[in-house]
Amino acid sequence: MPVRSEQDEANDLLETLVFTLGVIVDSDVSSRSRISEAHADAQALAASIPMDGGSARPRIVACLERFNAHREAGRVEAAGWMLAAIQGRIAEKNLPRWEELQIVADKAVQLLVGERNLH
């Protein structure tokens, strides 16, 4: 199996982040509210898990496990869990162009926070 570079990982994250942002943008009010609640739950869960020697991997894995469960069940909440997992990886600040990824992630969060403030 070929070794993945950090640039490959950054590109994959950007692709997933853009897809997740699209899910948020294309969601109706009810779905966006559920994504927002899932994202808040994911952030709380992530914050409760200790870092592993500076790595957010345990937090990311926990969010991805919940993402998979929601995705397999066909629930839109999966997007909130994926966004939190991506944010955890970006926060490590060791990927090429992580700042650009952060800008896109922040835009997605702004959409969700706006939704949270409406309810």
Side-chain angles (χ1 to χ4, degrees):
M1 185 169 167
V3 175
R4 288 176 28 90
S5 71
E6 285 183 342
Q7 185 61 53
D8 291 338
E9 182 183 2
N11 290 340
D12 290 348
L13 274 177
L14 179 58
E15 185 177 312
T16 303
L17 186 53
V18 168
F19 178 83
T20 303
L21 182 57
V23 169
I24 293 167
V25 168
D26 292 340
S27 292
D28 62 22
V29 173
S30 173
S31 293
R32 196 177 294 183
S33 179
R34 292 192 335 258
I35 295 168
S36 179
E37 289 175 26
H39 180 258
D41 290 346
Q43 292 287 24
L45 175 66
S48 75
I49 298 171
M51 298 282 277
D52 182 17
S55 170
R57 184 164 178 77
R59 296 173 175 185
I60 295 166
V61 168
C63 288
L64 291 177
E65 287 171 356
R66 303 280 191 326
F67 160 78
N68 284 327
H70 284 286
R71 181 180 50 91
E72 289 171 9
R75 291 190 296 260
V76 73
E77 289 90 337
W81 289 95
M82 177 55 74
L83 179 56
I86 292 170
Q87 287 179 289
R89 180 63 183 99
I90 293 169
E92 292 180 328
K93 300 180 181 180
N94 61 1
L95 288 170
R97 301 178 13 236
W98 69 266
E99 296 97 338
E100 294 171 27
L101 292 167
Q102 184 69 57
I103 290 167
V104 178
D106 287 348
K107 294 293 182 191
V109 170
Q110 286 173 1
L111 288 171
L112 294 178
V113 169
E115 192 61 42
R116 242 179 262 150
N117 291 336
L118 293 176
H119 295 107

